[in-house]
């Protein structure tokens, strides 16, 4: 039987990982490498998704092209939100320290960053277009609200699809308690497709990884 770490390694890497830990750290922006990533509260196996999240943060700070997404998909209770909140904090800290700036025609500006929950923050029909303009957004649980009653669920699904369509080619973090196949069936096939476009990092946490609180 495969261990938790083996299962996550098999699912997590759209690109081959560095051969050694030293190579992995060497490729990161110094701010990201030094960030105090914490996992003791949640399932320790979630450490295996860290390379993708760190690579995303480094690419954002360095303004690498193409602009990509990082998505963590799979069962609840393993700490996906915990990890992505840390990624957002890492990026906000980089901006505060002057490591991450957005160039303008007259100099630089601070980045616009947002954390949203679809069922709440996309209620206004204009919200998708507003959030599409942000430099980085973290969308927590893109399936939230999609299973509500017919009217509300359909509205939420449509606004999630609209937002993610507008976020194509823009730095975006997201998680879901669904896998890509389930996203295709329950939300929108275009969303499932975009999760891996342009070299984006799409990590599917195996169902065998247990809820940390069920130990």
């Amino acid at each position: 039987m495969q261990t938790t770490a083996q299962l996550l390694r098999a699912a997590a890497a759209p690109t081959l990982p560095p051969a050694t830990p030293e190579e992995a750290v060497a490729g990161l922006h110094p701010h990201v490498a030094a960030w105090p990533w914490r996992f003791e509260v949640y399932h320790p196996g979630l450490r295996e998704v860290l390379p993708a999240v760190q690579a995303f943060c480094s690419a954002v700070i360095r303004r690498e092209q193409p602009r990509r997404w990082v998505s963590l998909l799979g069962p609840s209770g393993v700490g996906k939100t915990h990890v992505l909140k840390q990624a957002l904090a890492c990026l906000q800290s980089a901006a505060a320290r002057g490591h991450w700036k957005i160039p303008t025609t007259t100099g630089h500006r601070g980045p616009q960053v947002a954390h949203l929950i679809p069922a709440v923050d996309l209620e206004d029909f204009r919200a998708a277009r507003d959030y599409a303009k942000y430099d980085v957004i973290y969308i927590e649980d893109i399936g939230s609200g999609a299973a509500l009653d017919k009217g509300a669920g359909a509205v939420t699904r449509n606004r999630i699809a609209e937002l993610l369509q507008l976020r194509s080619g823009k730095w975006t973090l997201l998680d879901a308690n669904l896998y890509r196949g389930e996203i295709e069936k329950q939300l929108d096939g275009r969303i499932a497709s975009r999760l891996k476009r342009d070299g984006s990092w799409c990590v599917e946490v195996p169902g065998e990884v247990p809820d940390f609180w069920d130990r």
Side-chain angles (χ1 to χ4, degrees), residues 100-117:
W100 176 30
K101 298 178 180 179
I102 306 300
T104 68
T105 55
T106 58
H108 293 84
R109 64 169 174 82
Q112 290 182 294
V113 180
H115 172 196
L116 62 126
I117 297 174

Side-chain angles (χ1 to χ4, degrees), residues 137-150:
I137 62 171
Y138 164 35
I139 312 171
E140 181 181 341
D141 189 1
I142 64 169
S144 67
L148 296 173
D149 61 59
K150 295 179 180 179

Side-chain angles (χ1 to χ4, degrees), residues 8 11 46 49 71-81 84 141-143 174-183 195 202-211:
L8 280 163
L46 204 63
V49 311
S71 52
L72 303 186
L73 313 177
S76 62
V78 297
K80 301 184 301 296
T81 298
L84 292 186
D141 189 1
I142 64 169
L174 60 91
D175 62 41
N177 295 332
L178 303 169
Y179 292 107
R180 284 183 73 233
E182 294 170 321
I183 290 172
L195 294 179
C202 179
V203 183
E204 294 194 289
V205 180
E208 293 86 349
V209 176
D211 186 315

Side-chain angles (χ1 to χ4, degrees), residues 28-35 37 61 89-95 97 99:
L28 298 176
H29 186 281
H31 182 80
V32 177
W35 188 253
W37 303 92
I61 294 170
C90 176
L91 292 174
Q92 291 171 319
S93 173
R97 292 171 179 265
H99 300 311

Side-chain angles (χ1 to χ4, degrees), residues 140-184:
E140 181 181 341
D141 189 1
I142 64 169
S144 67
L148 296 173
D149 61 59
K150 295 179 180 179
V155 168
T156 300
R157 286 194 298 274
N158 288 338
R159 289 184 180 158
I160 292 169
E162 179 186 4
L163 174 58
L164 290 178
Q165 184 173 357
L166 293 170
R167 294 296 304 178
S168 180
K170 299 179 181 179
W171 296 111
T172 305
L173 306 99
L174 60 91
D175 62 41
N177 295 332
L178 303 169
Y179 292 107
R180 284 183 73 233
E182 294 170 321
I183 290 172
E184 182 174 5

